[in-house]
Amino acid sequence: MQPPVEPFKIKVVEPVKIPSEERRREAIREAGFNTFLLLSEDVFIDLLTDSGTAAMSDNQWAGMMIGDEAYAGSKNFYNLEKAVQDVLGYKHLVPTHQGRGAEHLMFQHLVKDGQIVPRNMYFTTSKLHVEIPGGKMVDSIIDEAHDPENLHPFKGNMDFNKLQTYIDDYGLEKIAFVSVEMNVNMAGGQPVSMENLRKLREFCDDYKLKIIYDATRSSENAYFIREREKGYEDTPIIEILREMMSYSHGSVYSSKKDCLVNIGGFLATNDKEIYEATRNMVVVYEGLHTYGGMAGRDMEAVARGLREGAEYDYLKYRVNQVRYLGELLMKANVPIVKPTGGHAIFLNALKFLPHLTREQWPAQTLAGAIYEDSAVRSMERGAVSKGRDKETGENIFPPLELVRLTIPRRVYTNTHIEYTAKSIVNLYEKRDNIPGLEMVYEPKYLRFFQARFEQIK
Ligand SMILES: *Cc1c(COP(=O)(O)O)cnc(C)c1O
């Protein structure tokens, strides 16, 4: 494919440089082979995450200048509320400092000790915020999602048989609510179809179960619905988004992804009870209900970014830039999760480094090797991220052991994408010589952020 043409031009630049081979070797060892512990200065192309790394538009920067920093009733809150109503169709908004703030409020309100939360697939902070009030998150994604080669167009879909089994096994009163993540991050940025959302609502209505979305990547999900689902070929993205949200009782949302900003989050709902409870809790944990941990200027940037991030031309470029990287890698037979998702390319570390055992952390190893080779920073998404079983304390080895190359929004040019692809293809050709890792430090919570490793001799 041709590289996608950017629907913008560049007004400000930030210089980056490639550190020497010697410095890269030293830096990854200083970081304990954990790319989260690398210094940003040592990184040339930073594909660690798409979270809070977007380039804002001139329109958003202009919005920052009209930040109304009143403690209460900032006009930017009302602009954000209006944007959420227009783009997502929810009436009520509770702002939070970022996505996990919204998860904290929503899940503390909805989850009781001993309950479970079925969700297409877990996400790290979401899982933890279900566990803190004593709940457990259980996966109910279709089986196709666990197969990196399967070309199903909506690998994020919920499996209703799995959901039924949880209800039968645990009993209805043990289900706190049903959660659906849009463009499922841990499955490779794979979308959920409108049909699946519509049917899920019917299914849950029969049991009077509430549905809460993790709508963080809903705009990119909406793009895939338009691209792949019959009947939506010409539907405006905002109409798709509003229909998606109409099948839920509320959403938690990290603005740091599809809203094209560097910080922020919120929860949104049409459910009066959820709204009242979380609006009350927000003053305890985040800030007053008209700022929730964000500055006025940040809320303005989110409001404008939510609208910009739902523009068709932008989304088309965005999704195709990710696809472009995927195609360059596939052309050289590098094993990646297919089809390519919305925000990242996921390398299949089990196939990239078949000489390593699961206990040698293949994805962690690969992320370190990519950095050392090319100063491109990626992230492990496999057993280190998954953590240990809460009851047995054993490591969980999920079927997918991946390295995520996450593309920040509007930040890197197609030449940067080509550099990245070329380096990974080179590394793939000398992959047999890459030694595995041993974990030498393991923190208790979200260990992937701070764990340290050493190379096995
Ligand atoms: C990033 C993310 C979160 C957490 O949001 P933060 O803004 O990082 O706190 C929750 N769910 C999903 C799917 C995410 O990608």
Side-chain angles (χ1 to χ4, degrees):
M1 76 184 267
Q2 289 299 309
V5 176
E6 293 85 352
F8 52 81
K9 56 185 178 175
I10 295 167
K11 191 169 335 212
V12 177
V13 297
E14 177 183 340
V16 286
K17 57 176 191 291
I18 310 182
S20 69
E21 193 178 332
E22 193 190 347
R23 177 57 201 152
R24 299 196 302 266
R25 191 184 148 75
E26 192 178 66
I28 194 67
R29 281 162 182 77
E30 284 170 10
F33 290 89
N34 185 342
T35 52
F36 277 102
L37 302 178
L38 286 167
L39 305 181
S40 165
E41 263 180 25
D42 286 325
V43 174
F44 175 47
I45 296 178
D46 202 347
L47 308 184
L48 183 73
T49 174
D50 62 331
S51 183
T53 53
M56 292 207 294
S57 65
D58 51 359
N59 175 51
Q60 286 175 291
W61 280 108
M64 297 283 279
M65 287 305 292
I66 57 155
D68 171 1
E69 307 305 341
Y71 189 89
S74 160
K75 74 175 177 209
N76 311 115
F77 168 79
Y78 296 99
N79 291 347
L80 178 55
E81 186 182 59
K82 182 78 173 44
V84 167
Q85 289 165 350
D86 290 349
V87 177
L88 303 176
Y90 290 117
K91 201 160 137 208
H92 304 299
L93 162 74
V94 177
T96 57
H97 75 288
Q98 55 183 80
R100 69 198 72 183
E103 291 174 336
H104 176 208
L105 304 183
M106 183 74 96
F107 300 169
Q108 189 175 313
H109 171 57
L110 291 176
V111 180
K112 289 184 195 66
D113 194 19
Q115 285 190 314
I116 65 162
V117 176
R119 161 152 161 159
N120 40 3
M121 198 178 258
Y122 84 102
F123 179 74
T124 52
T125 59
S126 324
K127 176 171 175 275
L128 185 61
H129 278 295
V130 163
E131 286 169 3
I132 288 170
K136 186 175 163 188
M137 190 168 262
V138 291
D139 286 6
S140 20
I141 201 164
I142 56 171
D143 285 335
E144 285 86 341
H146 297 296
D147 173 5
E149 303 291 325
N150 192 300
L151 292 175
H152 193 293
F154 291 102
K155 283 168 100 172
N157 280 354
M158 294 285 275
D159 182 329
F160 297 111
N161 289 328
K162 288 182 188 165
L163 210 48
Q164 187 65 55
T165 307
Y166 290 127
I167 294 173
D168 296 343
D169 290 356
Y170 286 85
L172 195 55
E173 69 290 347
K174 288 274 170 167
I175 316 282
F177 61 92
V178 174
S179 169
V180 190
E181 181 184 329
M182 298 302 144
N183 244 33
V184 188
N185 193 349
M186 303 299 276
Q190 303 293 335
V192 185
S193 73
M194 191 73 88
E195 188 194 10
N196 193 253
L197 294 175
R198 198 180 299 128
K199 285 193 173 149
L200 179 70
R201 180 59 190 253
E202 286 167 18
F203 180 98
C204 288
D205 276 353
D206 286 344
Y207 290 107
K208 297 205 162 34
L209 281 170
K210 283 192 172 152
I211 302 172
I212 302 296
Y213 292 166
D214 184 326
T216 297
R217 290 186 183 78
S218 47
S219 302
E220 288 168 5
N221 197 115
Y223 177 81
F224 282 118
I225 288 177
R226 172 153 158 166
E227 190 184 72
R228 296 178 185 168
E229 196 161 347
K230 235 181 130 228
Y232 291 93
E233 300 82 356
D234 302 312
T235 314
I237 296 291
I238 287 184
E239 250 174 68
I240 297 176
L241 277 168
R242 292 174 63 108
E243 184 182 344
M244 287 160 67
M245 302 306 148
S246 74
Y247 301 126
S248 74
H249 297 87
S251 281
V252 295
Y253 201 115
S254 165
S255 330
K256 299 174 70 175
K257 285 83 170 201
D258 281 6
C259 289
L260 300 161
V261 293
N262 306 120
I263 195 70
F266 56 84
L267 67 84
T269 182
N270 288 328
D271 183 303
K272 231 173 149 89
E273 186 213 308
I274 291 177
Y275 174 55
E276 277 180 16
T278 51
R279 192 175 94 120
N280 191 208
M281 280 158 64
V282 78
V283 300
V284 181
Y285 296 105
E286 303 278 320
L288 193 72
H289 56 272
T290 57
Y291 74 88
M294 279 184 283
R297 54 181 172 270
D298 294 331
M299 288 191 284
E300 189 61 35
V302 176
R304 293 177 183 213
L306 182 60
R307 293 180 195 275
E308 280 178 24
E311 282 170 15
Y312 175 74
D313 287 348
Y314 155 71
L315 283 168
K316 182 174 172 198
Y317 144 79
R318 159 71 179 159
V319 169
N320 279 300
Q321 190 180 46
V322 174
R323 190 171 287 155
Y324 181 50
L325 174 58
E327 297 222 341
L328 294 174
L329 293 171
M330 281 190 282
K331 219 164 60 186
N333 295 317
V334 175
I336 68 169
V337 175
K338 294 169 202 157
T340 57
H343 65 299
I345 294 301
F346 289 74
L347 302 172
N348 181 353
L350 297 179
K351 276 205 163 170
F352 203 114
L353 302 175
H355 60 286
L356 301 186
T357 65
R358 294 299 296 266
E359 289 81 6
Q360 295 173 339
W361 314 108
Q364 191 77 31
T365 301
L366 182 55
I370 290 170
Y371 171 77
E372 194 170 337
D373 190 65
S374 59
V376 171
R377 169 152 71 171
S378 59
M379 180 202 293
E380 189 266 7
R381 288 275 95 147
V384 179
S385 294
K386 183 85 183 184
R388 290 176 181 273
D389 186 289
K390 216 179 144 215
E391 273 125 46
T392 67
E394 294 295 318
N395 281 312
I396 305 169
F397 294 105
L400 297 178
E401 173 79 7
L402 308 174
V403 168
R404 191 177 80 177
L405 301 157
T406 336
I407 316 297
R409 295 169 180 79
R410 304 192 293 210
V411 170
Y412 290 114
T413 65
N414 293 321
T415 318
H416 288 122
I417 297 291
E418 287 156 12
Y419 169 90
T420 301
K422 212 181 221 169
S423 329
I424 291 170
V425 170
N426 279 341
L427 188 67
Y428 187 61
E429 279 155 14
K430 50 186 186 197
R431 62 191 181 277
D432 300 343
N433 302 325
I434 301 172
L437 298 174
E438 176 187 2
M439 199 187 292
V440 293
Y441 167 69
E442 179 178 354
K444 188 161 169 221
Y445 299 110
L446 301 176
R447 63 180 181 183
F448 59 95
F449 283 131
Q450 293 157 336
R452 299 185 70 86
F453 301 81
E454 278 170 14
Q455 256 178 0
I456 297 168
K457 294 280 158 356

